C-alpha cells in the first residue's frame, strides 16, 4: 500500500523513488533494495519504482545536462507534497566533474533540494541519515 508523506508524522512511512544516474546510485540501491530492511522499516521508508507513487525523489549520481529534462520530468510527475534528497558530490555540486561542459553543477539549480548528502560516494548509511534528516525537517 502506498502511504502519503502526509502520513509520515503518524505512521512513519514514506514512498521513495531512487533516480540513480551514476556510481552513487549503486550505494543508494544497496541502501534501498534490501541490505538494511529493518533500518528502512524503522525510518518508515517504502521504496517505489514509479514517479507517480513517490513523495521523495532521491537524485544520486552525475546529473548531465542531457539527462536534466528527464530528472525534471520525473519530479513533475510526482504527487504533492514532494521532496528531493540529493545524494553525493555530483548531484550536489557537479562533484569531480564540476568543470565539465556537459554536467549540471548541482541539481538544486533546477529542483528544490531539501536535504543534500555529502560524499563521493556516500555510504548507504549516509542515505539513511539523509532520510532521517528529511523526516525531522518535515516533522
Ligand atoms: S559523487 Fe563520486 S561516487 Fe557519486 S556519482 Fe559522482 S563520481 Fe560517482
Amino acid at each position: 500500500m502506498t502511504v502519503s508523506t502526509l502520513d509520515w508524522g503518524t505512521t512513519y512511512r514514506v514512498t521513495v523513488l531512487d533516480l540513480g544516474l551514476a556510481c552513487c546510485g549503486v550505494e543508494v540501491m544497496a541502501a534501498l533494495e534490501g541490505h538494511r530492511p529493518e533500518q528502512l522499516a524503522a525510518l518508515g521508508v517504502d521504496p517505489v519504482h514509479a514517479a507517480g507513487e513517490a513523495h521523495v525523489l532521491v537524485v544520486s549520481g552525475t546529473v548531465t545536462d542531457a539527462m536534466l529534462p528527464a530528472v525534471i520530468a520525473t519530479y513533475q510527475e510526482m504527487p504533492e507534497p514532494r521532496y528531493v534528497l540529493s545524494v553525493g558530490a555530483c548531484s550536489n555540486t557537479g562533484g569531480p566533474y564540476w568543470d565539465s561542459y556537459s554536467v549540471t553543477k548541482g541539481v538544486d539549480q533546477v529542483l528544490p533540494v531539501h536535504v543534500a548528502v555529502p560524499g563521493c560516494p556516500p555510504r548507504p548509511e549516509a542515505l539513511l541519515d539523509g532520510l532521517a534528516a528529511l523526516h525531522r525537517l518535515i516533522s
Side-chain angles (χ1 to χ4, degrees), residues 19-31:
L19 193 58
L21 301 172
C23 4
C24 277
V26 177
E27 301 296 333
V28 174
M29 278 183 251

Side-chain angles (χ1 to χ4, degrees), residues 108-134:
D108 64 339
Q109 294 187 20
V110 293
L111 297 183
V113 172
H114 296 84
V115 174
V117 177
C120 178
R123 291 181 56 81
E125 293 84 350
L127 171 72
L128 301 182
D129 288 344
L131 286 167
L134 182 61

Side-chain angles (χ1 to χ4, degrees), residues 21-25 27 60-62 87-91 94-97 119-122:
L21 301 172
C23 4
C24 277
E27 301 296 333
S60 54
T62 316
V87 174
C90 280
S91 178
Y97 314 112
C120 178

